[in-house]
Amino acid sequence: MDQELYSKERSASLDLLLRFQRLLVSKLYPADCVGQVPNTYSPDLLGVGSLLKKYTALLCTHIGDILPVATSIASTSHRHFAEVSHVVDGDLTGILLPELVVSIVLLLSKNAGLMQEAGAIPLLAGLLEHLDRFNHLAPGKERDDNEDLAWPGIMGSFFTGQSCRNNEEVTLIRKADLENHNKDGGFWTVIDGKVYDIKDFQTQSLTGSSIL
């Protein structure tokens, strides 16, 4: 229901483009068929792949023109960033691009050969720099980058304005010290040259020790 309500707020042309994009993806999605020769594709399928490439090229050209302007305006202030983000979110960049990227990743996992034949993936790579510049303007980006681990035990020191580096002497831990500590039942881990004790988090985690 939320999606239908959101759909009504989109322009008719944007909604039509989204339907066309989904149609292309559905035509390329592999069907469960028996007797198909591997790495051989019908002319119709290759035609759809070529059409996806052309569609992606046109979309990337538009977004490549929009994002630098959006970045320039958004860099003025946090308020400008919020306003520009709202506009971009309702534009092709916010509606068509995210779903296209996810769809291409899905198609790549199902039929990598066909997607390489279509050649749409390299076109998306050209947007990475534009997207990165825009995202770096987001308020709180520096805080997110500085916080390697995001659970209350670590985040708490940030929100209270305390810094471990300012309040206590920095201890240098050798690799042998870390290995011996973990052999004795501890759980230290290294991220970007910093040692974190995640023993308490281990008992709360649902992922298991191997993933940690």
Side-chain angles (χ1 to χ4, degrees), residues 52-129:
L52 176 66
K53 180 180 180 180
K54 186 171 182 61
Y55 168 82
T56 304
L58 292 171
L59 181 63
C60 290
T61 299
H62 171 81
I63 296 175
D65 292 338
I66 290 293
L67 279 180
V69 179
T71 302
S72 177
I73 299 173
S75 62
T76 308
S77 68
H78 290 337
R79 178 177 170 274
H80 284 80
F81 178 84
E83 293 293 336
V84 170
S85 296
H86 180 71
V87 173
V88 169
D89 193 44
D91 184 55
L92 306 183
T93 310
I95 295 177
L96 299 182
L97 182 61
E99 187 171 312
L100 178 63
V101 170
V102 172
S103 299
I104 287 181
V105 170
L106 176 63
L107 290 172
L108 188 63
S109 69
K110 292 291 183 179
N111 198 333
L114 177 61
M115 293 310 298
Q116 290 174 357
E117 193 80 26
I121 298 174
L123 299 172
L124 292 170
L127 294 177
L128 290 176
E129 187 176 351

Side-chain angles (χ1 to χ4, degrees), residues 12-212:
S13 58
L14 189 56
D15 198 58
L16 186 62
L17 281 172
L18 183 59
R19 289 171 182 267
F20 175 70
Q21 178 176 297
R22 289 173 176 173
L23 180 62
L24 286 177
V25 172
S26 67
K27 293 294 183 182
L28 289 170
Y29 194 83
D32 295 328
C33 53
V34 180
Q36 183 178 358
V37 180
N39 298 325
T40 58
Y41 311 110
S42 67
D44 289 344
L45 202 58
L46 292 175
V48 177
S50 177
L51 195 56
L52 176 66
K53 180 180 180 180
K54 186 171 182 61
Y55 168 82
T56 304
L58 292 171
L59 181 63
C60 290
T61 299
H62 171 81
I63 296 175
D65 292 338
I66 290 293
L67 279 180
V69 179
T71 302
S72 177
I73 299 173
S75 62
T76 308
S77 68
H78 290 337
R79 178 177 170 274
H80 284 80
F81 178 84
E83 293 293 336
V84 170
S85 296
H86 180 71
V87 173
V88 169
D89 193 44
D91 184 55
L92 306 183
T93 310
I95 295 177
L96 299 182
L97 182 61
E99 187 171 312
L100 178 63
V101 170
V102 172
S103 299
I104 287 181
V105 170
L106 176 63
L107 290 172
L108 188 63
S109 69
K110 292 291 183 179
N111 198 333
L114 177 61
M115 293 310 298
Q116 290 174 357
E117 193 80 26
I121 298 174
L123 299 172
L124 292 170
L127 294 177
L128 290 176
E129 187 176 351
H130 294 303
L131 291 167
D132 197 46
R133 287 177 180 172
F134 183 79
N135 288 332
H136 269 70
L137 298 175
K141 191 275 301 181
E142 292 181 0
R143 181 198 67 198
D144 293 339
D145 283 352
N146 290 331
E147 292 299 332
D148 294 312
L149 302 176
W151 61 77
I154 301 298
M155 294 293 283
S157 63
F158 175 81
F159 288 118
T160 55
Q162 299 173 353
S163 172
C164 296
R165 186 162 295 221
N166 293 335
N167 293 339
E168 59 186 56
E169 183 182 352
V170 176
T171 303
L172 297 179
I173 299 176
R174 299 174 304 166
K175 183 180 179 181
D177 296 333
L178 183 140
E179 292 174 348
N180 290 333
H181 178 82
N182 289 347
K183 286 179 181 177
D184 293 337
F187 208 146
W188 286 356
T189 188
V190 180
I191 301 176
D192 293 336
K194 299 176 184 177
V195 179
Y196 294 90
D197 186 352
I198 59 174
K199 180 68 176 177
D200 292 340
F201 182 71
Q202 179 189 12
T203 60
Q204 305 170 20
S205 172
L206 302 178
T207 59
S209 299
S210 59
I211 296 179
L212 285 177

